[in-house]
Structure formats: C-alpha cells, structure tokens
C-alpha cells in the first residue's frame, strides 16, 4: 500500500517520516461547491481540509515560508491547498514565484478540484510544480450530481447535471494532461456513504488508466449539506482501500490537514 517513495510525504509513507510540508493558505475563492464543504476561515480548533486561521497574501506567505523553512530543514514541500481552489486564485502562482526566487530548492505542490487543471498545466510547469492532487469523488455525472451543487467556468455558472458533467469531464482531461506532462498526480477520493461508496472501484480504474500514481480514499467529514450523513468507520475505509489496492497504490496515512498545516505528518 503506497510504498513507493516519490519524495513527497503525502504520496508515500517512507517520505512522510523524513520530509515535512508547509501549506500556505493564499487561495481564498473556490469555483465549485461540494456538498460536504465547510471552509472555516478564522478557525484555530478544527482540523480538516479548508480550515485555516487566516488567508495570507503571497508576500505574507513568503514571510511565513522563510520563518519556518529556516528553522526546520525537513520542511521541503510547499503546498497550496486552499482554503478554496489554488488554480482559481492568481495568488497561488504569485506565491510560487516569490518562493522560487527566494529558494531554488523548494518543491511545490497543489491540491485542486481539477476544474481548471487542463487549462493551467503550462502555468504549473512554469512555476516548477511537481506534485498535483485532484479530488475525484465521481467519474460519472449521475454520481457527481449528488455531490456538487454548482461549478463556475469561464464566467458561466452551471448547476446540477450540467455542473456534474462539466466537472467530471474537465477533471479527467486535466489529470490525463498533467500525467502526460510529467507531473506526479495523486487522487483524493472522499468516501461518502450512500452516495459514492459503490463507485470507488470505478474511480480507481478510471484514474489509473489516466496515469495517476496513487489514490487516497478519505472518510467523509460530514459538514454542510452532508452533515446528516455518517462519517464512515475505519473498517469501511480499510475495506474499500483493500478492494482498490490491486487497481492502484493506496495511501493510508492522510491526516486530512488544514489549509495552513505545517510540519511532519502524523503516521
Ligand atoms: Fe470546498 Fe474544496 Fe469543494 Fe471548493 S473544492 S467547495 S474548497 S471542498
Ligand atoms: Fe497530505 Fe492528506 Fe494532508 Fe493533503 S490532507 S497534505 S494528502 S496528509
């Protein structure tokens, strides 16, 4: 399970014991609405993706990077994972530019919903981004329409089935293009009881065929419109990971981190 060492703590357990990450929360806005999303800004106590104490400007992010990287040489990965979508916010690329000028050795990664991935591959390559995580919760629109409320693309707002079709298609095109361009791509999939639990193997097969290296199946944190659903048990998550591990390498040490997490992963 997820034993290959890609040199990134979230892509394999080996690297997680040696390399840390710093998430810089510069990407405020999001271009889709997931029904489980609760982006809690100004929050110190919650520990889940999208939560952060404050959104930083690129200049503040550089200062934060300088402060932490100089005090811990294990902090090699600079990630932007929110609190919104990194590719939807120009601050993401500005931050990479500033850090690249300060530290040529920094390694960059992003975590995205994938809607803009196909359109921004060249920009990612120019910014020296090496690792991309795409959250893929469905590979067909019938399942996707239960998970997403809307998608904003090219200044047009799509709802329901239209949003689901657009997102599923854009994610898959973007993933394929990113893999072909040499980026190391991981897929995060949120296991959502009653919604996509019987669809996860199909996701695994589809993303493997597109060139994805590893998959990270995470239990739903039931917020927002999905707050009535139950968080899947460890057994439920492990069972589905086991079913998928013959299809694609599985990650089992995800910390479901905040957008401003800093340090080593707990493994
Ligand atoms: Fe929230 Fe991320 Fe979904 Fe955007 S992509 S709605 S920030 S969970
Ligand atoms: Fe890595 Fe999971 Fe944390 Fe993302 S949420 S940085 S994949 S451990």
């Amino acid at each position: 399970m997820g034993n290959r060492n890609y040199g990134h703590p979230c892509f394999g357990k080996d690297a997680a014991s040696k390399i840390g990450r710093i998430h810089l929360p510069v990407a405020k806005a999001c271009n889709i609405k997931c029904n489980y999303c609760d982006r809690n800004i100004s929050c110190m106590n919650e520990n889940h993706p999208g939560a952060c104490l404050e959104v930083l400007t690129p200049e503040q992010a550089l200062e934060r990077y300088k402060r932490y990287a100089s005090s811990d040489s294990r902090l090699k990965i600079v990630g932007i994972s929110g609190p919104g979508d990194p590719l939807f916010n120009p601050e993401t690329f500005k931050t990479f530019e500033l850090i690249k000028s300060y530290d040529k050795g920094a390694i960059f990664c992003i975590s995205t919903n994938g809607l803009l991935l196909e359109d921004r591959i060249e920009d990612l390559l120019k910014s020296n981004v090496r690792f991309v995580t795409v959250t893929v919760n469905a590979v067909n629109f019938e399942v996707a329409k239960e998970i997403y409320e809307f998608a904003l693309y090219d200044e047009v707002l799509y709802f329901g089935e239209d949003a689901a079709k657009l997102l599923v298609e854009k994610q898959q095109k973007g993933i394929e293009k990113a893999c072909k361009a040499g980026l190391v791509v991981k897929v995060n999939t949120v296991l959502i009881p009653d919604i996509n639990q019987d669809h996860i193997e199909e996701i695994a097969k589809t993303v493997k065929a597109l060139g994805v290296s590893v998959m990270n199946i995470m239990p739903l944190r039931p917020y927002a419109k999905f707050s009535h659903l139950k968080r899947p048990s460890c057994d439920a998550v492990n069972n589905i990971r086991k079913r998928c591990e013959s299809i694609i390498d599985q990650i089992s040490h995800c910390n479901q981190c905040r957008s401003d997490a800093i340090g080593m992963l707990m493994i």
Side-chain angles (χ1 to χ4, degrees), residues 27-39 49-50 81-86 111-114 135 137 147-148 150 190:
K28 185 172 185 185
C30 191
N31 48 357
I32 68 170
K33 179 74 179 82
C34 305
N35 287 333
Y36 53 75
C37 178
D38 173 26
R39 281 184 293 150
S81 70
D85 187 74
S111 182
T112 174
N113 61 45
T135 301
N137 297 322
I147 302 171
Y148 304 102
F150 65 75
V190 181

Side-chain angles (χ1 to χ4, degrees), residues 226-246:
F226 283 171
S227 54
H228 62 289
L229 295 178
K230 257 191 153 172
R231 183 166 162 87
S233 65
C234 288
D235 280 353
V237 178
N238 286 335
N239 286 341
I240 186 70
R241 283 181 184 149
K242 274 213 165 346
R243 292 215 299 276
C244 292
E245 71 186 352
S246 60

Side-chain angles (χ1 to χ4, degrees), residues 49-76:
C52 66
L53 184 57
E54 59 183 339
V55 175
L56 302 181
T57 64
E59 291 75 18
Q60 289 170 325
L62 172 65
E63 289 312 309
R64 184 173 290 185
Y65 176 72
K66 284 181 179 172
R67 195 163 72 244
Y68 282 92
S70 61
S71 64
D72 187 346
S73 60
R74 296 171 305 172
L75 279 187
K76 295 196 190 325

